[in-house]
Amino acid sequence: MKSFWALLSRDVILAVREGGAIGTALGFFLVVVSLMPLGLGPDLNLLSRIAAGVLWIALLLAALLSLNRIFEADHEDGTLDVLATGPLPLELVTVAKSLAHWITTGIPLAIMAPVLGILLNLDLAAYPILVATTLAGTPAVSFLGAIGAALTMKTRRGGLLLALIVLPLYVPTLIFGISAVSAGAGPAGVGASFLILAAISLVAIVLGPLAAAAALRVQLQ
Amino acid sequence: MQLIAEDLVIDRGSRRIIDGLSFAVKGGEALVLTGANGIGKTTLLRTLAGFIRPFRGVIRLDGGDDELTLGEQSHVVGHTNAVKSSLSVAENAGFWNTYLNVGLDSGQDPALRIAASLRHFGLEDLSDFPAAYLSAGQKRRLGLARLLVARRPVWLLDEPTASLDTASSERLVAAVNDHTSSGGLAVIATHLPLGLERARTLDLAAQRMAA
């Protein structure tokens, strides 16, 4: 357990000190969302109708930008070899690294989402739900993303390949994330979508590391 | 303690790199692997560490911990140093100490152990420095300090003296000699005569000719 915390805190410290990845993700999120009203014109009704979808899609794309650094940096400098011979099984190494990615990317993006909601004239009542759904949905983004990151670890400039592998896996998260926010009509609809979204994240937290660790074992050969 | 490899056959892609290699390294002994570039030294070391599955053959550590794989009882030092540039020298060493040390030995104060390892490789004055500012040789020394930061019975070193000056190579040789004299074993791939005590040489080129 000590090893797990050591790895988790090291990854968080590295992400904060190196900074670039978090900044890029947040900046990309900001730019994509603020381009939307410029492209669609100042139709406030239209904007507030599509706000949830735009925010979720932009969030997924922004998170995608930082996924490749989950394993790539550690592979390049040889750290992954040592982590693999350490006391933690590779599955738990993957959990620690995905969790660190969620803390340093998922949480900042989720906090930033309501701020950008203002730009899209998002319904005021939807703000708490938006924060709750992005917080509950982003673990799936990090843990499923780890699978793609492990598979493309050795590919030079594998960013596009990573997007092709990972984006289809995000479809359930996207569908239920959007429907939880825009189902504002009735509390029953929100509740159901939110619970399914949380369930998807829980499944991703369990299955993502297993798949990513299997991919890492092949890649380390 | 004894590391035994029996009738080892290793393929990389469709090429057979190692064909029918058998050897044994006893505790207190160092095995030096030699041979031209591309002969399979790195492949053999990565197979011993458990990264590559051999096509045929057995690798086992007699007298080790049965609960752990050979890789989990080994220090693996490859061509890269596993040094993070945005952490300081002491933070790098401290991370490996916390990460690797679980359950293997708890008797010694971690801070003392880290300080001693850095001192052995002449890095004690640099401990608060960010690793990004180190030279290639200093980074290598920090990578090697990992060997002393946590205790493990088997050392698998792949060209450990790359980019080291003579004095630093001697520090490494001293570390390996200490390790073997306290019962540990080491497998080292190198092109340079290191002057290790209690060392045997396994020439992979000669072995391939024989096979």
Side-chain angles (χ1 to χ4, degrees):
Chain A
M1 220 47 212
K2 234 169 88 186
S3 305
F4 183 84
W5 293 119
L7 181 59
L8 178 64
S9 58
R10 186 208 66 154
D11 266 29
V12 172
I13 290 172
L14 282 178
V16 172
R17 284 202 194 158
E18 286 167 6
I22 305 177
T24 316
L26 288 177
F28 184 82
F29 193 30
L30 173 72
V31 169
V32 170
V33 173
S34 47
L35 283 181
M36 279 299 156
L38 296 178
L40 295 169
D43 181 347
L44 290 181
N45 290 329
L46 174 69
L47 284 178
S48 69
R49 245 195 347 271
I50 62 168
V54 169
L55 284 173
W56 261 102
I57 292 173
L59 185 145
L60 289 183
L61 294 179
L64 201 63
L65 282 181
S66 57
L67 275 179
N68 57 353
R69 102 190 129 86
I70 298 186
F71 295 116
E72 206 178 71
D74 274 355
H75 171 251
E76 270 169 9
D77 64 17
T79 307
L80 206 56
D81 283 355
V82 191
L83 293 179
T85 58
L88 284 185
L90 269 179
E91 283 80 4
L92 281 179
V93 170
T94 315
V95 172
K97 295 187 77 63
S98 312
L99 198 58
H101 180 264
W102 180 65
I103 292 170
T104 56
T105 313
I107 293 181
L109 286 175
I111 292 171
M112 192 152 164
V115 181
L116 297 179
I118 300 169
L119 287 175
L120 297 172
N121 192 29
L122 186 71
D123 188 12
L124 213 58
Y127 278 85
I129 307 166
L130 178 69
V131 178
T133 48
T134 43
L135 276 180
T138 40
V141 175
S142 296
F143 281 82
L144 290 176
I147 304 174
L151 284 171
T152 57
M153 176 177 91
K154 280 186 181 171
T155 352
R156 296 271 152 226
R157 287 185 280 284
L160 193 61
L161 187 61
L162 177 64
L164 288 178
I165 296 173
V166 165
L167 279 179
L169 297 175
Y170 288 165
V171 169
T173 305
L174 181 66
I175 291 174
F176 290 102
I178 293 172
S179 72
V181 180
S182 54
V190 173
S193 301
F194 183 77
L195 288 179
I196 294 176
L197 185 69
I200 294 169
S201 283
L202 290 177
V203 170
I205 290 172
V206 175
L207 295 183
L210 292 177
L216 283 182
R217 286 204 178 88
V218 175
Q219 296 275 31
L220 280 173
Q221 290 204 350
Chain B
M1 187 176 290
Q2 192 172 22
L3 172 66
I4 300 166
E6 278 170 359
D7 192 24
L8 210 54
V9 179
I10 309 169
D11 290 347
R12 298 296 275 151
S14 55
R15 271 187 66 210
R16 182 143 295 180
I17 306 283
I18 306 271
D19 194 358
L21 175 69
S22 301
F23 63 86
V25 197
K26 283 200 275 296
E29 209 175 32
L31 182 71
V32 177
L33 302 174
T34 58
N37 297 139
I39 200 85
K41 300 186 291 295
T42 301
T43 304
L44 179 58
L45 283 171
R46 289 186 71 79
T47 309
L48 292 177
F51 296 133
I52 300 172
R53 206 175 319 146
F55 178 71
R56 201 175 66 216
V58 187
I59 301 166
R60 63 174 197 273
L61 184 66
D62 280 358
D65 189 332
D66 291 338
E67 302 270 308
L68 301 174
T69 64
L70 175 56
E72 287 166 342
Q73 302 174 66
S74 310
H75 269 306
V76 185
V77 174
H79 299 291
T80 44
N81 299 323
V83 166
K84 287 286 172 203
S85 336
S86 12
L87 298 180
S88 75
V89 169
E91 283 170 331
N92 267 296
F95 168 69
W96 290 122
N97 179 270
T98 328
Y99 185 78
L100 295 172
N101 231 1
V102 176
L104 286 173
D105 63 342
S106 45
Q108 204 178 356
D109 180 15
L112 287 177
R113 178 153 207 142
I114 294 167
S117 328
L118 292 179
R119 202 174 323 116
H120 184 91
F121 284 98
L123 294 166
E124 70 272 25
D125 295 334
L126 299 171
S127 60
D128 294 328
F129 245 60
Y133 297 147
L134 297 184
S135 76
Q138 287 168 330
K139 274 188 189 155
R140 189 70 186 159
R141 269 144 63 191
L142 179 54
L144 290 168
R146 194 175 73 231
L147 296 169
L148 303 178
V149 151
R151 210 197 77 78
R152 292 198 157 190
V154 180
W155 288 8
L156 306 172
L157 314 181
D158 194 354
E159 308 210 12
T161 52
S163 68
L164 289 185
D165 55 23
T166 323
S168 309
S169 299
E170 279 162 12
R171 289 171 197 263
L172 171 69
V173 170
V176 175
N177 285 339
D178 282 352
H179 175 66
T180 50
S181 69
S182 64
L185 60 91
V187 182
I188 304 166
T190 181
H191 294 292
L192 303 171
L194 290 176
L196 293 165
E197 296 161 16
R198 296 174 298 280
R200 277 188 303 128
T201 301
L202 176 67
D203 187 350
L204 288 179
Q207 188 275 332
R208 180 180 280 186
M209 298 293 266

